[in-house]
Amino acid sequence: VIIFILSFVLFAWCVSRYMRSQRMTVDSLIQSVQMLERKLYLDKNPHSLDFNEVLQLTGKGLSDSLTGVVTRSVFVSQVNGRLKNLVGSEDVAAFCFIDLDDLKKLNDTYGHGAGDLALKNIGYILREYEKKFDGLTGRYGGDEFVLLLSHIPAEKFRSTLERIRGAVYTTEIPQYENIHPTVSIGGVYQAHPLIEAIRRADKLMYWAKQKRNDVQT
């Protein structure tokens, strides 16, 4: 019995050590992605930026290959870690849902190439604001993105989301200059706890989608 208990304890310790090692590896890869992309974003544009090259250099599976933002699982993992580090009322993180309006209609009318470029364009715009506000962007679903913004004053929160909405509409898509995609955005200024922020932002995005090309906070 003692030998069995010791064996189990040793096994549990090895598993725990392996998991910690894996988390450290993922965190290191994510930091590498972020450092490299900061350099690329200084002189690149969304249509010439090769996100696949970024993934090959820093590890596959961390980012969405089409849009360049992190995957849903990586986003949730990273955001949970960031929110745990909030220590005071001044450390406020804002959480947003951004949904591309009428993606199916866009694909049916112009082809999936147009839809893909529209999604890629949104990803690039969100990454710009991610860098401005020490945030994080993830692709939550097919046409949904999530965005965490840190160190953003409350009085600038809604106007920032309005600028994102406007940027998506006014940025031209190569080969599809006549297309002006729109997004519906739901944003919650206080993002802690995360589960509650996701629920509230999702509900706000639902109301925004009733109008299309709208922001709800």
Side-chain angles (χ1 to χ4, degrees), residues 180-200:
H180 296 282
T182 63
V183 290
S184 299
I185 303 176
V188 175
Y189 187 64
Q190 176 57 266
H192 187 68
L194 180 60
I195 293 178
E196 176 63 15
I198 290 176
R199 186 191 67 79
R200 291 168 57 198

Side-chain angles (χ1 to χ4, degrees), residues 148-206:
L148 182 80
L149 299 174
S150 302
H151 312 301
I152 179 172
E155 62 273 15
K156 292 185 178 181
F157 178 49
R158 183 180 177 87
S159 62
T160 297
L161 300 189
E162 290 285 1
R163 284 196 294 272
I164 292 174
R165 181 189 62 80
V168 172
Y169 181 77
T170 57
T171 301
E172 289 188 355
I173 300 177
Q175 305 174 29
Y176 301 94
E177 289 79 6
N178 294 325
I179 298 178
H180 296 282
T182 63
V183 290
S184 299
I185 303 176
V188 175
Y189 187 64
Q190 176 57 266
H192 187 68
L194 180 60
I195 293 178
E196 176 63 15
I198 290 176
R199 186 191 67 79
R200 291 168 57 198
D202 187 44
K203 183 176 181 179
L204 288 167
M205 186 187 71
Y206 170 81

Side-chain angles (χ1 to χ4, degrees), residues 35-66:
M35 290 178 63
L36 180 57
E37 288 182 345
R38 285 191 185 97
K39 296 179 181 178
L40 291 172
Y41 270 79
L42 292 177
D43 57 1
K44 294 281 187 178
N45 62 66
H47 313 298
S48 63
L49 188 61
D50 187 355
F51 291 110
N52 287 325
E53 180 181 357
V54 175
L55 292 178
Q56 291 171 3
L57 290 171
T58 54
K60 296 180 179 179
L62 298 177
S63 300
D64 174 57
S65 60
L66 175 64

Side-chain angles (χ1 to χ4, degrees), residues 53-120:
E53 180 181 357
V54 175
L55 292 178
Q56 291 171 3
L57 290 171
T58 54
K60 296 180 179 179
L62 298 177
S63 300
D64 174 57
S65 60
L66 175 64
T67 64
V69 304
V70 301
T71 62
R72 176 175 176 171
S73 59
V74 172
F75 178 88
V76 172
S77 174
Q78 289 293 295
V79 168
N80 272 321
R82 294 190 186 197
L83 294 181
K84 288 179 181 178
N85 293 326
L86 297 179
V87 294
S89 59
E90 295 182 357
D91 294 326
V92 176
F95 178 85
C96 313
F97 264 118
I98 300 95
D99 185 274
L100 173 61
D101 296 328
D102 300 317
L103 175 59
K104 184 179 185 304
K105 182 178 179 180
L106 186 63
N107 287 333
D108 291 344
T109 304
Y110 300 98
H112 287 271
D116 287 349
L117 286 175
L119 290 169
K120 185 174 183 180

Side-chain angles (χ1 to χ4, degrees), residues 1-6:
V1 175
I2 295 176
I3 295 177
F4 173 78
I5 294 174
L6 291 175

